[in-house]
Amino acid sequence: AQSVSQHNHHVILSEAASLELGCNYSYGGTVNLFWYVQYPGQHLQLLLKYFSGDPLVKGIKGFEAEFIKSKFSFNLRKPSVQWSDTAEYFCAVNAGGYQKVTFGTGTKLQVIP
Amino acid sequence: NAGVTQTPKFQVLKTGQSMTLQCAQDMNHNSMYWYRQDPGMGLRLIYYSASEGTTDKGEVPNGYNVSRLNKREFSLRLESAAPSQTSVYFCASRGGPYNSPLHFGNGTRLTVT
């Protein structure tokens, strides 16, 4: 069965600091990986996704993520965060060929001006 | 484009009461999902429907039933509500291949007293 782990539950950064949020999944076969963001009071929106090809994927608002197959990881990065990045970030996986999508427990990011 | 529409937005139930959460999408998507979101637990899949006429259990199906009424609509029913079902419920849909992102509704905040 597929599963996702996000080890950082709450991260506090100052504006302009660099961000890296961890995501590890467990599934032995082909996977599709996603990062979603949820701003306060809103529903989830897609940040970026990986399904094949270049393991470094770029998303909206300057976010990027790197798929490292040997480590079963898909970490999210941003070189310089802004106050407006304050939100909760979710990693998600679905095994290739299946419609079931599993989410991690989320990481709350607080950016201090 | 309305996208994914959930009703109601808020609901308060007493223990033992029943209710149905409605979800409709206008994007002609094949797959639809019901998640619940609880603090510290991320999004947990309740049920999903990979295509019209099929439904499958997710991680936390106990206490819930679903109906895929047609391609557009996917309802979630609580037959006998319990305080443990107090949560925010999100409906989502997905079209296209397995690497397509989920599109979320705005959620239903349910309180069971």
Side-chain angles (χ1 to χ4, degrees), chain B residues 12-18 79-86 111-113:
Chain B
V12 179
L13 291 178
K14 293 185 178 179
T15 297
Q17 288 185 318
S18 62
E79 292 290 352
S80 179
S84 61
Q85 294 177 306
T86 293
T111 302
V112 184
T113 61

Side-chain angles (χ1 to χ4, degrees), chain B residues 14-32:
Chain B
K14 293 185 178 179
T15 297
Q17 288 185 318
S18 62
M19 80 160 294
T20 299
L21 280 64
Q22 306 286 354
C23 176
Q25 51 91 9
D26 62 1
M27 296 173 283
N28 201 35
H29 286 171
N30 287 322
S31 302
M32 297 185 74

Side-chain angles (χ1 to χ4, degrees), chain A residues 36 38 43 49 94 99 101, chain B residues 33 35 37 94 102 105-106:
Chain A
Y36 288 85
Q38 185 179 34
H43 61 274
K49 65 177 184 179
N94 81 268
Q99 287 292 352
V101 181
Chain B
Y33 305 76
Y35 289 89
Q37 183 177 23
R94 177 159 83 165
L102 297 177
N106 287 327

